[in-house]
Amino acid sequence: MSKVGRWIDERTGLGGPVRSFLNYAVPGYVHKNALYMLGGLTLIIFALQAFTGILLAFFYDPSTEGAYNSVDFITYTLPLGWLIRGIHHYGASAMVILTALHMLRTYFFSAYKKPREINWLTGVLLLFLTLAFGFTGYLLPWDQKGYWATNVGTRIAGSVPLIGDALMQLMRGGANLGQATLTRFFATHVLLLPATLALLIAVHIFQLRYHGMSPAITEKGKKEGGKFVPFFPYWVVNDAIAGLGMLAILIFLSATQRAPLEFPADPASSNFVPRPEWYFLFYYQMLKYFPGGLEPVATVLIPLFIFGSMVLLPFIDKGEERRPWKKPVTTIAAVFYIVVIVVFTALAL
Ligand code: HEM
């Protein structure tokens, strides 16, 4: 240990825990498979979002009069403002993609099975919180796109039987979109969601460390033999290199295509066609198939069914089999959802 390290250890006792964190034994099959990087990359992109989000908050004005101009200032005037906003903007999409891919990896590898149920359940919540980040962040520039998409989004919440009105009022802070809505979305986006997400990630990672990685998908009963490698440097270096690659892509996107900002929100405009961020397009498309009285099927029944089946999954699929090709029900279900999401997104585009 270095002199500085010893000095800190003598005063805090942190040396032991840090060392055992870094020396943690990771199975060889994990270290060699890029699919196991997806969770780490999701963690890195969350850290990047938190960092760029804090920088943005120094210049963002969360008022209906000032929000648009402050985002315009960040994008076009503030030195490197385009880069900070660009990374945050494209990073949001990257986080949704990575969270979804990481979930698919754990799903197809049956990593939700006993004793990792809590790991899976915290993951399900993390997925929905990630989407909530996207939904609340969309309004903050207070431009036409964000305003009208939030108008529709909160109206959809309003169509939920019995509690719809109260839910919409809670989200909007009144009957219509205004300062109260922006304040609530801002507080949710920069305080409530980051705090909850960070807490859940801590539980998620603690669970991971407690149980270790799930077994490789080998034949039933056959143990995956092989070596273990320490978490540091093997896994850390892999993820750090992949993280730098991801950062390079985000910088490239930010430089070649400025994060969009449309005309300022105009509650009086009647011809603006609301459209959500691309990762909600499939849902908007689905709503079209359930008009009028059928709307609650799309706003309540289907989301509840999907959330419920994700929550119940580890308690239903309890067998030892982990190979996706030997588990047709779970595999076909996932492929069905993926196809529906891709097709609906394509139709909406
Ligand atoms: C902010 C979002 C998330 C972060 C930062 C995160 C982070 C991680 C990390 C670093 C790992 C270990 C590496 C790996 O398996 O790739 C992991 C494992 C795991 N994650 Fe996540 N995760 C997130 C979301 C999710 C979601 C949405 C699910 C599923 C619904 C999920 C379920 C799991 C499971 C079951 C494991 C254990 C994997 C195993 O033992 O093989 N996670 N997570």
Side-chain angles (χ1 to χ4, degrees):
M1 204 190 287
S2 72
K3 235 173 141 181
V4 178
R6 242 194 326 272
W7 190 93
I8 295 175
D9 182 37
E10 274 165 15
R11 278 145 193 90
T12 61
L14 282 176
V18 169
R19 233 169 319 173
S20 70
F21 184 83
L22 294 178
N23 290 336
Y24 183 81
V26 178
Y29 60 84
V30 168
H31 163 59
K32 287 187 210 120
N33 188 340
L35 292 175
Y36 287 93
M37 280 183 194
L38 292 166
L41 278 179
T42 312
L43 191 59
I44 293 175
I45 193 68
F46 173 59
L48 260 180
Q49 290 301 91
F51 177 65
T52 49
I54 289 170
L55 293 180
L56 287 173
F58 279 113
F59 298 94
Y60 176 73
D61 174 358
S63 72
T64 51
E65 297 83 38
Y68 182 86
N69 286 339
S70 67
V71 176
D72 185 87
F73 172 79
I74 292 169
T75 314
Y76 297 107
T77 313
L78 181 71
L80 294 183
W82 59 270
L83 180 62
I84 297 163
R85 179 159 178 251
I87 292 179
H88 201 76
H89 172 79
Y90 292 111
S93 291
M95 184 152 167
V96 172
I97 295 171
L98 286 168
T99 310
L101 290 178
H102 166 59
M103 183 185 79
L104 288 178
R105 199 289 285 166
T106 59
Y107 181 89
F108 283 117
F109 283 35
S110 293
Y112 49 79
K113 291 191 178 212
K114 186 186 165 195
R116 294 176 183 77
E117 295 93 333
I118 294 178
N119 215 336
W120 172 260
L121 294 178
T122 48
V124 173
L125 293 179
L126 285 169
L127 176 73
F128 284 94
L129 288 181
T130 303
L131 294 175
F133 260 114
F135 181 65
T136 50
Y138 207 53
L139 178 69
L140 301 186
W142 204 250
D143 62 353
Q144 283 284 69
K145 196 162 53 98
Y147 181 90
W148 288 105
T150 308
N151 201 14
V152 175
T154 48
R155 197 194 55 71
I156 292 171
S159 74
V160 173
L162 303 175
I163 55 161
D165 269 344
L167 202 61
M168 189 168 83
Q169 285 269 340
L170 182 74
M171 290 166 97
R172 291 187 175 179
N176 296 308
L177 260 66
Q179 182 58 56
T181 325
L182 185 58
T183 306
R184 285 176 188 204
F185 273 56
F186 180 64
T188 306
H189 191 78
V190 307
L191 297 170
L192 185 61
L193 290 176
T196 319
L197 200 90
L199 195 74
L200 277 172
I201 289 179
V203 177
H204 198 67
I205 305 282
F206 175 77
Q207 282 289 309
L208 183 79
R209 279 302 176 100
Y210 184 63
H211 296 298
M213 293 303 283
S214 58
I217 35 173
T218 50
E219 267 174 55
K220 216 160 51 175
K222 197 173 149 200
K223 278 259 177 292
E224 170 76 13
K227 293 195 310 192
F228 282 79
V229 294
F231 175 67
F232 180 84
Y234 288 88
W235 199 349
V236 174
V237 169
N238 272 358
D239 279 15
I241 292 171
L244 285 176
M246 180 172 67
L247 180 61
I249 295 172
L250 295 178
I251 293 174
F252 173 78
L253 288 172
S254 312
T256 49
Q257 187 126 30
R258 288 285 139 96
L261 182 64
E262 303 207 350
F263 288 118
D266 175 10
S269 74
S270 54
N271 55 355
F272 190 84
V273 183
R275 46 175 209 285
E277 194 56 296
W278 66 267
Y279 40 81
F280 288 123
L281 278 176
F282 76 95
Y283 186 65
Y284 273 46
Q285 183 67 22
M286 190 181 77
L287 283 171
K288 291 185 194 160
Y289 305 127
F290 298 95
L294 286 177
E295 205 177 23
V297 175
T299 55
V300 183
L301 286 184
I302 294 178
L304 266 185
F305 176 76
I306 292 174
F307 182 71
S309 43
M310 286 173 90
V311 167
L312 291 178
L313 175 69
F315 307 102
I316 296 172
D317 178 19
K318 295 200 290 194
E320 261 190 41
E321 185 58 76
R322 289 175 180 271
R323 292 166 295 174
W325 56 94
K326 296 273 177 187
K327 296 169 63 222
V329 177
T330 49
T331 302
I332 290 171
V335 172
F336 170 76
Y337 282 123
I338 294 169
V339 170
V340 167
I341 289 175
V342 171
V343 170
F344 280 16
T345 305
L347 286 174
L349 282 173

